[in-house]
Structure formats: structure tokens, C-alpha cells
Amino acid sequence: MLRFAVVGGLGVVVNFSVFNLCRSVTALPTVRCSVISTSVAVLVNYVGFRYFAYRDRDKRRPAREFILFVVFSVIGLVIENGVLYAATYWFGWDTALQSNLFKAIGLAVATGFRFWAYRTWVFRWQGSGHPPGHSSPKSDVEQFRP
């Protein structure tokens, strides 16, 4: 979890930096800047997760891993930017402070989803799906067999 937080922290810095830079130097709408910044952060995070946070996980199917990472990242992107979209277009909250606040709320919700999805589906343990040294639970029959 600590390694996930380190990589995620870097992703947050990249995400907010690109977001605020895009808002200040372009005429793009707020949510479009956010989608761009989230996409850049996702690419940075993939490298960090694969080679730092989950480097000890199964590496036998990199194409599958990357596709699942992208799918779950897009779902996270929709969650994160859905909150920002609602704040911006439904409530008219579009100042820099409001946009950053609602982007942060959306990012927090999306991060919980991504943490679960990446650990469960993307960066799996090699073999049994359990960490090394962890045996899977015995079935009821095996438990009581002498």
C-alpha cells in the first residue's frame, strides 16, 4: 500500500500540475484540461506501478496487464472527471479553487476504485493469485481430512 501511495502521490502531482498549466495557458474547457491531465498521470502511474509498486507481480502477460490497466484507468478517469463535470456544468462552480477542490474529490473516489482494481485484476500475483508464502484456504473436505 505504501508503494501504491508513493506512485499515486507522484501521479497526483503530475495530474494537478498539468491540469492547472492547461487551464492557465490554453482556452480549453475545464473538464477537457482535466481529462488531458488525468491521461498524462495515468501513463506516469503505469510506469511507476509496473516497475516500482508492483514489480514483484506476475509479468508473463504484459499486453493483458496493460489493457486491463487502461480499462480500469478509463473507468477511474470517468469517475474523477464526472465529479468535476457535475460541479462545473450542473452547479456552475468553475473558479480555479472550486475546480481543484472538485477534481480532488473525484480523484479521491477514483483512487479507491483504482487501488482495488489494480491489485485485484491488473497486477496479480504469479500462479495462485495469492502473495508468496500465503497458502490458499483449504476446502471443507481438506480441512477435516486426516
Side-chain angles (χ1 to χ4, degrees):
M1 189 177 220
L2 181 61
R3 288 181 184 176
F4 182 90
V6 168
V7 173
L10 175 62
V12 168
V13 170
V14 168
N15 197 334
F16 278 93
S17 297
V18 172
F19 174 65
N20 286 298
L21 181 65
C22 181
R23 277 190 56 131
S24 65
V25 299
T26 70
L28 292 175
T30 301
V31 177
R32 193 163 305 158
C33 286
S34 185
V35 168
I36 291 167
S37 68
T38 302
S39 301
V40 172
V42 163
L43 293 174
V44 169
N45 283 353
Y46 179 76
V47 173
F49 288 139
R50 167 44 43 223
Y51 299 104
F52 177 67
Y54 297 121
R55 68 177 181 253
D56 55 344
R57 302 291 177 104
D58 189 2
K59 294 180 181 84
R60 291 178 296 177
R61 299 186 335 208
R64 175 191 176 276
E65 174 187 279
F66 185 73
I67 290 168
L68 284 173
F69 184 85
V70 169
V71 167
F72 289 121
S73 294
V74 168
I75 294 169
L77 180 142
V78 170
I79 293 168
E80 176 183 337
N81 292 292
V83 172
L84 182 61
Y85 180 91
T88 303
Y89 296 108
W90 295 353
F91 299 103
W93 296 328
D94 195 28
T95 67
L97 178 62
Q98 291 167 332
S99 294
N100 279 282
L101 174 66
F102 287 102
K103 182 168 178 59
I105 291 169
L107 182 60
V109 174
T111 297
F113 167 76
R114 287 178 181 128
F115 178 73
W116 168 80
Y118 295 162
R119 285 181 57 97
T120 305
W121 298 102
V122 180
F123 300 106
R124 299 181 61 136
W125 292 105
Q126 190 168 342
S128 70
H130 297 288
H134 179 274
S135 60
S136 59
K138 294 181 179 182
S139 70
D140 291 338
V141 175
E142 291 175 319
Q143 236 174 352
F144 296 105
R145 191 178 295 160

